[in-house]
Amino acid sequence: MWKSAADVGRMPQNAPGKIYFFRRDAQGRWFDDTARLLSDTTGCISPRKAVVADFNADRKPDVFYACHGFDGEPNIPDRPPYGDHQRLLLSRVDGRYDNIKLPFVGYGHGATAADLNSDGLPDVVVTNTSCQSSEPYCNPDAVTNSVPYVLINEGNGRFRVDMTRLPVAVDNRFESQQYWGIYGLELIDVRGDGKPHLFVGAVPESFAKGCTACAKNGVMLNDGSGYFNRSPMVEFPLLRAENGDYYGGALDFVMINGSVYFHHETPGSSTPRMAVRRIDPVTWNVTTVLERSGRFSDNAIWPVWLYPTSDGRIQSREVNCDYPIRPDSSCGFNIAVTP
């Protein structure tokens, strides 16, 4: 578990978070077990996603944190540039964890892990929308100029950047990279053969007011050897709400009953709208399984994560909601899915 600065008291907005481990006792109650497992509890600024995998092949779970740094307006006094170091919790022989500040800086809004080069170690694909300059919205130390990158796992907490596995941007100018604006990535093995495809959630041009450099929502196909640039990306068709607004970037790809689901929304409109869509991994056809308009009962405009449940449903978790979310609840949603 990770707590942000806002969770632990009145601290600067750009203060790093703190990492906690919690354990459940025999009575089912959770207690803080951090001291037994972790000495350095320092986190990054704005951890966006935790990816759990066995990164050092010792049959114990490790955690890769995608971090995007302080997310605020450039005119805030003393704010750091967008982006932060990605971070790794790596298991040790004695059962404790090392907290590793990785040398890869960027606006890591998302990450996903799978073995791409068949060496038995999970590799990582990381998003980055930070540009490499001294401009207020940029970070000169960013690994890439506003495009995702692959980290090949070399074991023992070491990774190397591999820019050969994803499509190459047209050139190095911020405004001309044809797949800029990717905020969500998920490697999903839809075929069950250990060769996952890369599902992409981006900011489509129609939604981003004419951004011709923006990527589409879609899937980059694995050629069988962990490369995703040897055939065109399958683009998912845009969805338009009843008021004419386009839905934005795809988020939270999850697989259940042989299909992949995601959600996206129309933030910024006077009446927020969101949709859940289903992807057929054989034909790549996309259908809409849920649309709703208006804020949730906790005033949120879109759901917090999607996840599949053991009884064949997809559920969202909303802040300040009562759990479990009932099927008729107006706070989040819980829908049945079919193969």
Side-chain angles (χ1 to χ4, degrees):
M1 179 179 178
W2 193 305
K3 289 188 177 182
S4 68
D7 295 324
V8 294
R10 292 184 176 277
M11 299 173 66
Q13 295 184 60
N14 60 352
K18 186 176 181 181
I19 302 171
Y20 291 83
F21 278 95
F22 285 86
R23 182 180 298 275
R24 182 175 287 176
D25 64 19
Q27 288 73 42
R29 297 169 299 193
W30 292 95
F31 67 95
D32 187 346
D33 198 30
T34 309
R36 188 177 65 87
L37 297 172
L38 191 64
S39 299
D40 179 6
T41 62
T42 305
C44 59
I45 303 170
S46 298
R48 176 65 189 186
K49 185 178 179 181
V51 180
V52 179
D54 183 5
F55 288 106
N56 56 357
D58 65 354
R59 300 186 179 181
K60 298 176 183 177
D62 308 299
V63 186
F64 181 99
Y65 287 105
C67 305
H68 62 58
F70 182 57
D71 192 3
E73 293 300 319
N75 58 359
I76 295 176
D78 301 321
R79 70 172 298 279
Y82 284 108
D84 198 1
H85 290 266
Q86 312 309 293
R87 193 170 286 265
L88 179 70
L89 295 186
L90 195 67
S91 58
R92 303 187 330 204
V93 175
D94 63 3
R96 294 177 63 82
Y97 281 81
D98 287 323
N99 184 348
I100 302 172
K101 183 179 181 180
L102 296 170
F104 312 110
V105 174
Y107 194 96
H109 191 275
T112 181
D115 184 4
L116 301 182
N117 57 356
S118 302
D119 64 354
L121 295 171
D123 309 296
V124 185
V125 186
V126 188
T127 64
N128 177 45
T129 53
S130 179
C131 40
Q132 296 170 315
S133 83
S134 58
E135 296 298 317
Y137 280 102
C138 300
N139 191 315
D141 297 324
V143 176
T144 60
N145 190 23
S146 304
V147 297
Y149 57 93
V150 174
L151 293 178
I152 297 298
N153 188 356
E154 297 183 332
N156 297 320
R158 297 189 304 272
F159 297 84
R160 60 177 171 84
V161 176
D162 186 339
M163 297 300 296
T164 69
R165 295 176 181 268
L166 300 180
V168 177
V170 172
D171 58 38
N172 202 40
R173 290 181 297 136
F174 176 82
E175 69 274 12
S176 66
Q177 292 171 343
Q178 81 279 19
Y179 72 127
W180 174 82
I182 294 175
Y183 287 87
L185 294 170
E186 203 68 53
L187 288 162
I188 302 179
D189 184 5
V190 298
R191 300 168 297 190
D193 61 357
K195 307 295 182 183
H197 295 312
L198 183 63
F199 289 79
V200 176
V203 184
E205 176 183 347
S206 297
F207 178 77
K209 298 180 176 62
C211 174
T212 57
C214 290
K216 309 295 192 294
N217 296 314
V219 57
M220 294 182 183
L221 303 180
N222 190 333
D223 71 344
S225 58
Y227 287 81
F228 303 93
N229 51 12
R230 296 179 177 174
S231 59
M233 184 176 83
V234 178
E235 297 178 7
F236 301 147
L238 290 173
L239 179 66
R240 211 165 190 172
E242 60 183 12
N243 68 340
D245 289 344
Y246 285 100
Y247 287 89
L251 296 170
D252 305 343
F253 294 99
V254 295
M255 185 170 180
I256 183 171
N257 291 341
S259 296
V260 178
Y261 295 80
F262 67 90
H263 84 276
H264 51 181
E265 70 288 326
T266 61
S269 59
S270 57
T271 301
R273 292 171 171 84
M274 61 82 59
V276 178
R277 306 180 76 188
R278 173 184 179 270
I279 305 164
D280 184 322
V282 176
T283 64
W284 301 121
N285 288 335
V286 180
T287 55
T288 303
V289 298
L290 172 70
E291 278 192 88
R292 72 181 308 279
S293 62
R295 293 178 180 269
F296 290 105
S297 59
D298 63 345
N299 210 37
I301 63 174
W302 63 68
V304 179
W305 306 114
L306 304 185
Y307 69 94
T309 63
S310 59
D311 60 351
R313 304 181 73 87
I314 285 182
Q315 185 164 307
S316 72
R317 286 293 193 192
E318 278 300 317
V319 178
N320 301 323
C321 287
D322 293 328
Y323 299 114
I325 298 174
R326 301 184 310 276
D328 61 348
S329 174
S330 63
C331 189
F333 57 86
N334 187 325
I335 58 177
V337 296
T338 57

